[in-house]
Amino acid sequence: MKTLFLIAAIICIASTAAAESPYPTPTRDGRERLQRSGACPTGYVGIGNKCEALHKDTPRAYPKIQGTPCPSGTFRSGDYCKEFR
């Protein structure tokens, strides 16, 4: 019984780790990387299924939710909401 529980826990953790986050994650050199969902925002370049910031100090961008405006302090850029600097 404990073995079955352990196997189920490992499968659950592995599937959670494999899921891509829609939120910014850092690269090894400190730039932001986003899961691509359409056109990349300004200051980001599309690399495969990711949008990667061109510089370390590029303002953060977040996926835009369809049918809603960007939050205060951000503006629409591509299919994302990007922070003002």
Side-chain angles (χ1 to χ4, degrees):
M1 185 68 168
K2 287 183 179 182
T3 306
L4 182 61
F5 178 73
L6 182 61
I7 292 171
I10 291 172
I11 291 171
C12 181
I13 290 170
S15 65
T16 303
E20 291 291 333
S21 171
Y23 298 102
T25 55
T27 61
R28 288 185 178 156
D29 61 358
R31 297 179 297 157
E32 299 237 336
R33 182 181 291 152
L34 303 166
Q35 184 67 30
R36 195 170 188 171
S37 62
C40 293
T42 57
Y44 287 76
V45 64
I47 299 175
N49 64 347
K50 306 278 187 202
C51 292
E52 195 167 298
L54 294 173
H55 307 283
K56 290 181 184 180
D57 61 347
T58 301
R60 282 188 169 215
Y62 304 94
K64 183 175 181 324
I65 299 171
Q66 293 285 336
T68 62
C70 287
S72 178
T74 64
F75 65 97
R76 185 169 181 169
S77 179
D79 292 321
Y80 296 84
C81 293
K82 190 173 167 186
E83 290 181 347
F84 287 113
R85 271 283 186 195

